[in-house]
Amino acid sequence: LYLTSVSGTYKFSNKTTGNLTFQNTLVTGTRQNNLNEIWIGANHHYDNDSSIGARLEWFNFADESGNGFDDYNGVAAELSYARNF
């Protein structure tokens, strides 16, 4: 198993940040496959206790061993609200 990840964050303001991440997971051996993922997102902190976030992910899975697994692409979205108590 090999995992490579590169991530960056950009500060738009004191309360708002954006981020971009790329991750590759490569499995070798009997079951060989390759998973690529890209995330882009943003977070906004209302105050020290609460924040909202949104993230969009694109992923691609490829079976490299020919064992009958289907290759597929996908998109996922995530919305979050966090509050410290």
Side-chain angles (χ1 to χ4, degrees), residues 3 6 13 15 20 23 27-28 32-37 50-51 57 66 69 73 76-77 81-82 84-85:
L3 184 114
V6 178
S13 69
K15 294 185 174 191
L20 178 66
Q23 180 174 309
V27 176
T28 59
Q32 299 176 5
N33 58 61
N34 191 5
L35 174 64
N36 294 306
E37 299 171 273
S50 62
S51 65
E57 176 186 0
F69 289 103
N73 296 316
Y81 174 77
N84 295 332
F85 295 100

Side-chain angles (χ1 to χ4, degrees), residues 15-59:
K15 294 185 174 191
T16 305
T17 58
N19 51 66
L20 178 66
T21 302
F22 169 78
Q23 180 174 309
N24 172 262
T25 306
L26 178 63
V27 176
T28 59
T30 306
R31 298 218 179 249
Q32 299 176 5
N33 58 61
N34 191 5
L35 174 64
N36 294 306
E37 299 171 273
I38 297 173
W39 296 284
I40 186 167
N43 292 307
H44 180 76
H45 297 274
Y46 287 111
D47 51 37
N48 290 335
D49 293 329
S50 62
S51 65
I52 61 168
R55 184 170 86 162
L56 182 64
E57 176 186 0
W58 172 84
F59 57 92

